[in-house]
Amino acid sequence: MEPILKGRNLVKRYGKVTALDHCDFDLYPGEILAVIGDNGAGKSSLIKAVSGAVIPDEGEIFLEGKKIRFASPIEAREAGIETVYQTLAMSPALSIADNMFMGRELRKPGFRGKWLRQLDRSAMEKFAREKLSELGLMTIQNINQAVETLSGGQRQGVAVARAAAFGSKVIILDEPTAALGVKESRKVLELIQDVRARGVPIILISHNMPHVFEVADRIHVHRLGKRLCVINPRNHSMSDAVGYMTGAKVPDQEMEMA
Amino acid sequence: MASQSDDYESVVKVKREEAVAEFRDDHKGFVKTVQHALHVTPSLVPLIVLIVSIIVFGSLLGSKFFSASSLTLILQQVQLVGIVAAAQSLVILTAGIDLSVGAIMVMSSVIMGQFTFRYGIPAEISILCGLIIGTALGAANGILVSKMKLPPFIVTLGTWQIILAANFLYSANETIRSQEIRTEAPILQLFGTTFKIGANEAGQGGATLTVGVIFMLVLVAFLAYMLRQTAFGRHIYAVGDDQEAAKLSGVNVDGVLIAVYALAGLICAFAGWALIGRIGSVSPTSGQEANIQSITAVVIGGISLFGGRGSIMGSLFGALIVGVFTLGLRLAGADAQWTYLFIGALIIIAVAVDQWIRKVSA
């Protein structure tokens, strides 16, 4: 099977620090790939390189076999790669619908949209409501509610819904459960599985081993700026994974398939 | 999952039906309802204050205040502040501040006048030049703020001095007299053209509107539409709210900032044109108070100085509140200092209300 998103020999240096050291990366269609690694292992740089937030110094990235080079996250987004950042990247004072369509607003058809540049609010609200209920975010009474009035889990839910609604090829989730309570994390994990059930592959960056082992199909272990190994969570324990991550244990084989 | 040693999450796993991320709208009592209403419509406070102050002054002063001519006089007196406050609102919505608004206004009016009278350029073209230069000065602010990443306060503090000094140097501190403008280039005074509605035969009483007043109202209506109904408007709010988030969610932050400062410059240039209409002459020393007055109107109008919150209607109401207090207290024969005292108190109250509205999560 051909990976949907593939990185080869990626190098990223920040001054004297080498964050990515000839690193490879593979994401297969329809899977949840968790990326784990110690702090400073280069996880974020890897994710930023594939999501367009940083431009790698060397190496190549392929999306569906075609070579790509993103200059900004906006370009990656246009190619169908959506990222849910740890900070969520939402404007607190704006509404749920405004946030979901930020930067890709729908305009009214005809004269009012073309010449008066008028936004098609009802269409955007309808779409936002549909997407939120599709992901089981239940009955939204007020889609025009400001995002800051939502709880942490609800905000995360809206951010995931936004990515799921527009991410046609790949969805990247950066620490989606880090700031959440136990129940809210649960909800987000369910959302992640719902998204996978619809066939969109997901890259999940997390420090939470139980969550990673619960939802991931494969686990990419990142160490010292490169991919140490990819393991199947069914054949390894959490302590194995932590061992590989920290260097306490050496994996038997480099690549395992799901 | 070999080492799911302590399955501490099993308790929450089964309770799937529990609605964690549900959007419920609880009934929260009167105060919360008011807070929510203000959160959704932040211009409500200044509107209420405006109506109450009109009623109070109207009942104290009777027909002296509560007449078409007095009320429209307020509109004439606030037209410049209203136009400049509209420009200031846009900038403050992006979490910036523009201290150079007054300087750009005066500079533009001086250019319109000097180009016409010093170089003999047709007044229409001089006006166009004034508008273009105003826009360019605004865009320069925008570029310094967005590309150079300098704080807006510092940038505009600098450009304020630069533009004002350039204005005095260029004009050689010369005033173009009203008489000359009226005979040679009346279009410069276009914004001062008045309409009387319902006046008696001697031309007394009735409502008096000027082109400047109508321009102010149309401008605010246009900007309100732009801010609410277009993507550019939503982006202005997003940039002011959380610049980093806006960038990550696909907003061209630098482009929005430059466009906003340039648009503010253009509006200030129009204010410069209106300034000629208001005072009749072209004077490089006029309009110095526009900075503070515009910021006052914006703050009283409920636009948050921290950006991203408020509506442009609010700053129009804010300007009108100042106008109502000024005229009302003058008609009541009070010392003009009372006006400043009340305005000062209103500013502090407005900011306190803004802080309260922000506490929505409580």
Side-chain angles (χ1 to χ4, degrees), chain A residues 20-211:
Chain A
L20 286 181
D21 182 12
H22 300 280
C23 167
D24 290 347
F25 176 81
D26 292 284
L27 175 73
Y28 288 94
E31 72 171 350
I32 297 181
L33 176 73
V35 176
I36 62 170
D38 240 350
N39 287 336
K43 298 190 298 290
S44 303
S45 299
L46 172 64
I47 293 319
K48 283 180 179 161
V50 296
S51 69
V54 304
I55 300 167
D57 301 327
E58 287 171 36
E60 294 168 324
I61 299 168
F62 301 88
L63 180 65
E64 293 180 319
K66 281 196 288 286
K67 195 176 163 190
I68 48 168
R69 195 169 173 83
F70 298 132
S72 71
I74 300 174
E75 285 181 22
R77 220 173 71 165
E78 279 162 5
I81 301 177
E82 282 284 329
T83 308
V84 177
Y85 297 92
Q86 209 171 345
T87 54
L88 297 188
M90 290 206 272
S91 297
L94 296 184
S95 73
I96 298 168
D98 275 338
N99 269 291
M100 282 189 76
F101 281 91
M102 187 53 63
R104 54 184 148 217
E105 291 82 356
L106 303 178
R107 284 207 297 270
K108 284 200 169 147
F111 174 78
R112 287 205 288 175
K114 191 152 192 263
W115 298 101
L116 301 179
R117 319 289 289 175
Q118 194 175 14
L119 294 175
D120 196 341
R121 278 183 185 278
S122 54
M124 292 197 289
E125 284 162 15
K126 185 162 162 275
F127 182 88
R129 196 175 281 121
E130 265 170 22
K131 289 296 166 188
L132 289 180
S133 17
E134 213 172 90
L135 287 173
L137 284 156
M138 321 250 183
T139 45
I140 298 115
Q141 294 194 340
N142 191 358
I143 201 84
N144 290 317
Q145 206 169 339
V147 163
E148 66 195 346
T149 61
L150 305 178
S151 74
Q154 289 174 328
R155 286 184 209 193
Q156 194 84 48
V158 172
V160 173
R162 171 168 75 175
F166 296 100
S168 52
K169 304 265 171 64
V170 178
I171 293 174
I172 301 171
L173 300 166
D174 190 1
E175 295 279 4
T177 56
L180 300 181
V182 178
K183 276 203 279 184
E184 295 191 315
S185 307
R186 181 76 5 229
K187 190 77 202 171
V188 169
L189 291 178
E190 283 172 16
L191 279 179
I192 293 172
Q193 279 160 334
D194 286 349
V195 171
R196 191 222 349 228
R198 297 196 286 121
V200 182
I202 295 170
I203 303 171
L204 170 71
I205 301 128
S206 182
H207 275 121
N208 188 316
M209 286 301 146
H211 291 168

